[in-house]
Amino acid sequence: MQLLDPAPRNGEAATGKAGAEASPAVNGNEGSGTSDLMEAACRRPNIEAALKRVRKNKGSPGIDGMTVEALRDFLNANWKRIREDLLADRYQPQPVRRVTIPKPGGGERELGIPTVLDRLIQQALLQVLQPKIDPSFSQHSYGFRPNRSAHDAVRRAKQFVQEGRGWVVDIDLEKFFDRVNHDMLMGRLAKRIADRRVLRLIRGYLNAGILVNGLVRERDIGTPQGGPLSPLLANVVLDDVDKELEKRGHTFVRYADDLNVYVRSEQAGERVMESMKRLYAKLHLTVNESKSAVAPATERKFLGFSFLVSTKGDVLVRIAKQSLERFKNRVREQTRRTVGRSIAQVCKDLARWMPGWRNYFRLTELREFPDLDGWIRHRLRALRLKQWKTGPKARRALIALGVLPRIATQAAAQIGRWWSTSRKMLNAALPNSLFDELGLPRLAA
């Protein structure tokens, strides 16, 4: 992609830099005086890495309709001009396209989809800013950080409960991303970033506005979810609370805007809750009273998981009841006995998403996966029985599958009782190996 080579040095001459491909000092070890972050963001290796990431993440077009697939050709034709605008502090971000998605607990979450070009530029900025800023964050923060994951956060929370901190201050922030104060955020960024062009560009992204029903709605507060920079900006805002909790000696785990503080008693938890409300108020943020609570740690969920204390006193990780119910509802929807699809197609549809779900919830230490496997196969057998519709047809099909005529006759006589009949009589006719051959994943594999 030759046109992504750095443009002629006129854009860099103003900064006194020589050698456009020189590696920038953005490894997190330098002070906040670095003022060439924009040059680092615009260098070819960084842009190539950003382009690769944007293409991998895919996603829908922004307000200009440009697709991820069209981005490379667009850059080949226009990157020199775009780069010069970025270095000269002339680049203007475009408004984001508003979309809404359902929230697991009900309601909707609003996302702002930037254009693919703005996603590329944000990703390029993230790649030079994150190594510089991330090392300053709290060790108790896990969300959207390199080499940290939701599983790490859950393991850490389990450790705190195992140590005897059996009460949790479970805090949910009310519309956090919609209420981030721009001036407060920019003030914190200015302490970490010396390149004024980068600061003004980030401010431009915050103020770019949202396209709603053909009109651009201006925004002077909030950072819409959907852009590559949003998680980093969220961590910058919430790091103040992390540092204050560390100063007070609390044990806590934060993943994005989900915060759990682990304490030894209900009274201690109530005191922490009140102090947390005051801390967040200083950031112009509000604790959601209906979703936040001080409760035994085993009664609350965290990142889709919950905890159980065994009879031996060991803390075990399990899938939260809400997560299990959402999983079952999704399976029920795809195995409804009125879907009019073959068993093979249903198994194929389940195979598209079940491995990802299994991978996320692999931390469970109970027998939940084997039990779910049996329940899913039971639903598929009931679906197959229903598809036979009539007793004679069911009897012939069962005999063809090797079921003894006497048992096939009994099953056919109960054709309307799909659930109970499939449990009693179809295991041999439709064995687990059949579903394996059809590509149905086993959660317990």
Side-chain angles (χ1 to χ4, degrees), residues 357-371:
W357 190 90
R358 175 186 61 199
N359 185 56
Y360 181 76
F361 285 103
R362 67 181 185 271
L363 286 186
T364 181
E365 297 170 294
L366 304 181
R367 271 191 52 86
E368 292 162 308
F369 280 178
D371 292 345

Side-chain angles (χ1 to χ4, degrees), residues 229-240:
L229 275 176
S230 293
L232 178 65
L233 301 182
N235 279 331
V236 169
V237 172
L238 295 173
D239 188 57
D240 280 17

